[in-house]
């Protein structure tokens, strides 16, 4: 097997999520908010909830407001179990 095939097979079972960067104040760590929509079980209205994740950003590339794809990985610290896979959209510069 080629090296690319081995890496692709290893990543096949890993969960990926897309969210916005809330904070990049820490070194090599960002906080990402992932929104998801559920239905209220009685009234059936759409309810938007969000989860926050501590994500490893090796090169400190992400800024607040960026849209990023994160991937589950082995525990890197007490709270960090995710890594940045790609930056989908950069935040508008002000």
């Amino acid at each position: 097997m080629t090296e690319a095939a081995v890496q692709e097979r290893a990543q096949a079972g890993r969960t990926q999520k897309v969210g916005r960067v809330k904070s990049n104040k820490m070194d090599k760590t960002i906080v990402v908010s992932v929104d998801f929509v559920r239905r209220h079980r009685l009234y059936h209205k759409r309810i938007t909830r969000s989860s926050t994740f501590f994500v490893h950003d090796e090169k400190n590339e992400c800024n607040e407001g960026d849209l990023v794809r994160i991937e589950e990985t082995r525990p890197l610290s007490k709270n960090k179990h995710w890594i940045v896979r790609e930056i989908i959209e950069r935040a508008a510069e002000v």
Side-chain angles (χ1 to χ4, degrees), residues 11-13 16 21 24 29 34 50-51 54 56 59 61 67 73 75 78:
Q11 293 177 358
Q16 291 190 349
V21 178
N24 65 346
T29 303
V34 176
S50 64
S51 297
F54 286 87
H56 185 68
K59 299 175 186 170
E61 295 176 325
L67 188 66
T73 187
K78 178 182 174 183

Side-chain angles (χ1 to χ4, degrees), residues 26-31 53-57 73-83:
M26 295 173 272
D27 186 35
K28 296 189 178 183
T29 303
I30 59 175
V31 180
F53 299 96
F54 286 87
V55 181
H56 185 68
D57 181 18
T73 187
R74 66 182 178 82
L76 300 170
S77 69
K78 178 182 174 183
N79 296 320
K80 272 200 298 190
H81 304 125
W82 297 83
I83 56 172

Side-chain angles (χ1 to χ4, degrees), residues 62-78:
C62 298
N63 296 315
E64 288 185 26
D66 289 353
L67 188 66
V68 294
R69 181 180 319 277
I70 62 176
E71 184 176 81
E72 196 173 24
T73 187
R74 66 182 178 82
L76 300 170
S77 69
K78 178 182 174 183

Side-chain angles (χ1 to χ4, degrees), residues 81-93:
H81 304 125
W82 297 83
I83 56 172
V84 173
R85 190 46 65 203
E86 68 173 311
I87 300 172
I88 299 171
E89 177 185 305
R90 291 280 184 186
E93 297 289 329

Side-chain angles (χ1 to χ4, degrees), residues 28-62:
K28 296 189 178 183
T29 303
I30 59 175
V31 180
V32 175
S33 176
V34 176
D35 294 334
F36 55 95
V37 177
R38 295 285 185 256
R39 290 262 180 207
H40 190 279
R41 52 177 191 225
L42 177 61
Y43 301 115
H44 305 292
K45 286 188 73 167
R46 292 167 48 112
I47 301 172
T48 303
R49 297 286 183 222
S50 64
S51 297
T52 57
F53 299 96
F54 286 87
V55 181
H56 185 68
D57 181 18
E58 182 64 36
K59 299 175 186 170
N60 285 322
E61 295 176 325
C62 298

